[in-house]
Amino acid sequence: MISFVRGRVAHVGLSTGVVDVNGAGMLFWATPQTLAGLRVGEEGTVHTSLVVREDSLTLFGFAVPEEREVFEVLLGVSGVGPRLALAVLAVHTPEAVRVGVHTEDSKAFTKVPGIGPKVAARLVLELKGKLVPLGAAEGQAPASTGTEEPWKAQVIAAMASLGWSEKDAASSIEKAMADSPEIAATGSIPEILRATLRWLGQGARAVKAGARG
């Protein structure tokens, strides 16, 4: 098993990345959150899971080992392949997946493209007891975060993993979504994350332009 790859980031696309490991380009599939943390030309480390099929060897990459762990557990659900498991982690953080399973919130999984009510119910049924919130006592439901938007905590967590403080992340998300309410209305974690990062980039360029003026 290839546990991780480390080297110069050679390419970052919409759904894949390439890391140059001693002259060999290791291509992997990943979520937008993981890819957003990589910079072409800089060294990067990606935790990986190798999925072996009769006609292919496919590498999937993750920012942290916890994502890989949840991904591999998801693969144990009948009817859930690696692309669908990755889609779950593009919408939900590993902890959110654990909470959804633990509280039997099948509706949370229907927010993932490609997952309908039947598959969502199967996820909860087959993963019950296999995924529990970290630190939660057995049989005890975790406390609600009280966040008004169900996606906000997950986007904040994704940005925190990229280096922003929770306070700065929350403020940036609020301002970015005020400029793009149509994206906020979708509730799509990848879209909201991309829009916020785009908003931050535009703000940085504006500050530089003002300094030059």
Side-chain angles (χ1 to χ4, degrees):
M1 174 181 175
I2 302 175
S3 181
F4 68 89
V5 295
R6 178 183 295 132
R8 183 182 62 81
V9 178
H11 169 75
V12 176
L14 293 176
S15 55
T16 61
V18 177
V19 172
D20 182 343
V21 182
N22 297 324
M26 304 291 286
L27 183 144
F28 57 89
W29 292 79
T31 65
Q33 298 94 313
T34 294
L35 294 167
L38 301 173
R39 299 289 181 271
V40 174
E42 298 182 4
E43 182 169 299
T45 299
V46 181
H47 302 274
T48 56
S49 178
L50 181 63
V51 175
V52 181
R53 294 287 186 265
E54 289 184 3
D55 58 349
S56 66
L57 296 173
T58 308
L59 204 60
F60 292 84
F62 309 92
V64 293
E66 289 77 13
E67 290 182 344
R68 179 181 61 199
E69 178 185 350
V70 171
F71 171 82
E72 292 178 344
V73 173
L74 286 169
L75 292 181
V77 177
S78 56
V80 175
R83 300 295 173 84
L84 192 56
L86 195 67
V88 171
L89 289 168
V91 174
H92 297 296
T93 63
E95 185 67 3
V97 175
R98 293 175 181 276
V99 170
V101 170
H102 190 67
T103 59
E104 300 183 12
D105 183 11
S106 61
K107 188 176 180 180
F109 293 105
T110 62
K111 296 177 182 178
V112 179
I115 293 184
K118 289 184 179 179
V119 176
R122 190 189 310 141
L123 274 169
V124 170
L125 178 64
E126 295 190 22
L127 295 179
K128 190 68 175 176
K130 296 180 181 179
L131 289 176
V132 296
L134 298 178
E138 184 66 28
Q140 178 182 358
S144 171
T145 61
T147 304
E148 184 178 351
E149 301 89 350
W151 46 261
K152 192 169 185 179
Q154 296 170 50
V155 180
I156 289 174
M159 292 186 65
S161 71
L162 299 178
W164 278 275
S165 68
E166 290 190 6
K167 180 179 178 181
D168 288 343
S171 176
S172 298
I173 293 166
E174 183 176 342
K175 292 174 181 176
M177 292 304 97
D179 287 349
S180 305
E182 70 284 358
I183 295 178
T186 68
S188 169
I189 280 81
E191 290 297 327
I192 293 168
L193 176 61
R194 279 195 289 264
T196 302
L197 294 174
R198 202 160 46 236
W199 182 88
L200 284 166
Q202 291 168 352
R205 287 194 293 271
V207 169
K208 290 180 181 179
R212 287 196 298 269

